[in-house]
Amino acid sequence: MARLGVLLFLVQIVLAVCALISCLSAEEGQIRALPRIAWVLIILFFPLVGSIAWFIVGRTPSPGARAGWPGGTGGAQRQRPRPVAPDDDPEFLRSVEERAQQQDQELFRRWEEDLRRREDDLRRRDGDPPREGDRPEV
């Protein structure tokens, strides 16, 4: 019987600590019914009842919380499309690929312009460009 009492005491303490952390880290708009300091005092002076009251009444449910039991039907719920991560979005991936192709084409165009400019500079400086047959073999 003493072990059961110790176990229940530990459960009560853990529940109170979780409720305090939840209460203290909640945004101001998420706290209902009483001010934050009142919830903290209730949780400290009445750990079991105060903790349960905090989780049931004191905070607003998170927007991701579902009604009903997990895995159950929970009534008619509207399915919202899940947000897609950028690396899973085909439109985003297509835009990244198009941007990369445009950058590659621009780089290739600049290289060609630079090569033409260098060839023109060599032609102006030397007259005729050297031919393959005129080059000495190494």
Side-chain angles (χ1 to χ4, degrees), residues 21-22 29 72 74 84 86 94-95 109 114 119 121 123:
I21 291 172
S22 175
V84 179
R94 193 173 18 260
S95 71
R109 186 189 59 77
D114 186 48
E119 286 177 344
D121 287 347
R123 283 190 185 116

Side-chain angles (χ1 to χ4, degrees), residues 46-123:
F46 309 103
L48 184 63
V49 175
S51 301
I52 293 171
W54 164 252
F55 286 120
I56 293 175
V57 178
R59 64 183 182 142
T60 58
S62 63
R66 298 186 328 178
W69 292 98
T73 57
Q77 295 180 5
R78 184 175 51 148
Q79 291 289 334
R80 290 181 284 177
R82 285 184 35 198
V84 179
D87 58 345
D88 291 338
D89 185 10
E91 189 174 318
F92 175 76
L93 293 175
R94 193 173 18 260
S95 71
V96 168
E97 186 176 329
E98 289 172 358
R99 191 178 325 135
Q101 286 178 351
Q102 289 174 353
Q103 290 174 347
D104 290 346
Q105 289 174 352
E106 176 65 24
L107 183 62
F108 185 67
R109 186 189 59 77
R110 281 189 277 149
W111 283 350
E112 285 181 330
E113 287 177 1
D114 186 48
L115 181 62
R116 283 190 193 110
R117 183 184 52 79
R118 289 181 183 196
E119 286 177 344
D120 290 343
D121 287 347
L122 281 175
R123 283 190 185 116

Side-chain angles (χ1 to χ4, degrees), residues 123-138:
R123 283 190 185 116
R124 274 184 267 145
R125 192 176 338 141
D126 295 336
D128 272 333
R131 295 184 175 86
E132 269 313 305
D134 297 342
R135 290 189 183 167
E137 292 192 26
V138 181

Side-chain angles (χ1 to χ4, degrees), residues 11-24 43 47 51 55:
V11 168
Q12 176 182 342
I13 296 298
V14 168
L15 185 64
V17 168
C18 290
L20 274 174
I21 291 172
S22 175
C23 180
L24 293 174
I43 294 169
S51 301
F55 286 120

